Amino acid sequence: MFHRILHLVFTASYLGVQAQQAAHLPPSGAFDDGSGRMYFSGQMAFSIATFRDFATSPLFYNGPGLSVSTNALYRSGRTDERLELSFGIFSTFASVPNSDVLQSGGFSVFNTINLYYHHLFFIRKISNDQFRIKVGPAFNSTQNIRVNQGLFNNALGLENIANLMIAASLVRDFSRLKDKKLNFYLFKFMLPARRRELHVQINSGILNFNYRPGYAYAYDGEIIGTETSPLNWALQNYRWNMNGWRLQTRLEWLWYLYNGNAFSLFYHWDAAHAPGQFEAFQMAVHRMGFSYYFERKIKQL
């Protein structure tokens, strides 16, 4: 009986030491070619938007806002796949020249709904242990909803900007694979092993579409009681056009926890120019925020 108790004590001690050592190691197999990891992510960002719609005025509108998004992410040594849905709301202001007709300022509520997807492939020939490069297609669709009461019949502005893009991603590995001791004479610090990465991504539009109306947003179509659909009335005179351009950049600093989850800080810049049928629409959005990645499961390839 005594031998059994002693054996259990030594076994428990050994397992405790192994668990303690494992706690100081980064998650194994996170980015090798033999496994992939699936994540669910939530993001929040402080944003600044700038836009100009020549169909109503040449004024620039600028203002702050808040963006939230949710992601489904699959990442391995071979591929990188992301599906993202985001929402943004902004309070934008325009400086209007003083006159007897125009007010000294303009205000517009600017809302965006964005759907994004990419599938990137690892380029082995130009990558190494520190730098990993992935290239592939991406799709981005943005629906803008703008309200400016000072424009009267043109108060409501709607446009959809859809882009088929080419995306290139560079991942720089800054992982610390072993514990590191720092000795400052009076003070000593222990930096535990940590998996860290810097992600840089650039997207450029190849096929650029926009769904916009004609010269102005004046909704002057007839309304026949309940026979007229509000959506059809709002989208009258709209048509698809293939023109313009779109550029996106994303910079993300990401570090992993010992349970497989991860934190990140990111900066995202998105700019688009959509000529439409007659008058152009331009926008640029800056987002700075943080995200938390929940690891769902590890898939062996």
Side-chain angles (χ1 to χ4, degrees):
M1 184 68 180
F2 176 77
H3 293 286
R4 292 184 179 179
I5 295 176
L6 189 62
H7 177 72
L8 290 175
V9 171
F10 276 107
T11 301
S13 300
Y14 174 78
L15 293 177
V17 171
Q18 294 297 320
Q20 185 176 7
Q21 292 177 351
H24 291 286
L25 295 176
S28 61
F31 302 104
D32 57 23
D33 291 343
S35 66
R37 292 178 180 264
M38 300 184 67
Y39 297 92
F40 175 80
S41 171
Q43 299 180 343
M44 179 174 293
F46 173 77
S47 307
I48 296 178
T50 299
F51 74 87
R52 178 166 63 172
D53 183 7
F54 286 96
T56 55
S57 74
L59 298 174
F60 280 101
Y61 286 82
N62 303 272
L66 184 67
S67 300
V68 295
S69 63
T70 180
N71 294 261
L73 176 65
Y74 172 77
R75 182 170 291 164
S76 71
R78 301 176 184 175
T79 62
D80 189 299
E81 189 173 3
R82 178 190 292 266
L83 177 63
E84 177 179 301
L85 179 63
S86 62
F87 303 88
I89 181 170
F90 304 86
S91 298
T92 58
F93 302 85
S95 297
V96 181
N98 291 323
S99 71
D100 295 334
V101 179
L102 298 176
Q103 298 180 358
S104 60
F107 173 75
S108 176
V109 177
F110 181 53
N111 303 305
T112 64
I113 303 173
N114 192 79
L115 178 65
Y116 174 81
Y117 173 80
H118 76 216
H119 193 114
L120 309 182
F121 301 91
F122 176 49
I123 308 299
R124 188 180 300 275
K125 291 184 178 180
I126 55 177
S127 301
N128 53 43
D129 294 338
Q130 296 297 322
F131 295 91
R132 303 181 71 89
I133 298 176
K134 296 179 181 180
V135 178
F139 174 77
N140 200 89
S141 177
T142 301
Q143 177 63 52
N144 294 330
I145 304 173
R146 298 178 284 111
V147 179
N148 187 345
Q149 297 294 339
L151 298 180
F152 302 105
N153 285 345
N154 294 327
L156 178 63
L158 303 172
E159 62 264 338
N160 182 273
I161 303 174
N163 310 88
L164 181 62
M165 316 181 80
I166 182 70
S169 172
L170 170 65
V171 180
R172 173 66 165 90
D173 190 356
F174 287 93
S175 297
R176 186 168 52 244
L177 300 181
K178 296 182 179 180
D179 294 348
K180 184 177 181 180
K181 296 181 180 179
L182 298 179
N183 190 349
F184 295 101
Y185 298 102
L186 297 179
F187 303 97
K188 295 182 180 180
F189 298 93
M190 174 68 73
L191 298 178
R194 181 76 68 184
R195 185 177 294 276
R196 301 170 302 178
E197 291 181 336
L198 178 65
H199 291 246
V200 180
Q201 183 170 330
I202 299 177
N203 296 358
S204 179
I206 299 177
L207 297 178
N208 305 290
F209 301 91
N210 59 81
Y211 189 59
R212 304 190 67 231
Y215 180 74
Y217 288 83
Y219 297 100
D220 55 358
E222 63 178 358
I223 299 178
I224 307 176
T226 58
E227 297 180 8
T228 302
S229 168
L231 183 61
N232 292 335
W233 176 78
L235 298 180
Q236 64 175 330
N237 300 323
Y238 274 67
R239 66 174 61 181
W240 283 101
N241 297 275
M242 186 176 71
N243 49 29
W245 53 266
R246 190 165 192 173
L247 292 174
Q248 296 175 322
T249 61
R250 185 182 182 93
L251 182 67
E252 184 175 21
W253 174 256
L254 192 146
W255 66 97
Y256 292 82
L257 306 178
Y258 301 121
N259 59 4
N261 298 343
F263 276 104
S264 79
L265 298 175
F266 67 88
Y267 166 74
H268 183 206
W269 174 73
D270 184 9
H273 174 78
Q277 184 179 355
F278 295 107
E279 301 295 340
F281 172 81
Q282 302 170 344
M283 74 171 189
V285 180
H286 302 265
R287 297 182 177 93
M288 297 182 63
F290 66 92
S291 59
Y292 188 85
Y293 292 87
F294 296 91
E295 184 184 63
R296 297 178 57 193
K297 63 180 179 179
I298 302 176
K299 180 180 178 182
Q300 297 298 326
L301 301 179

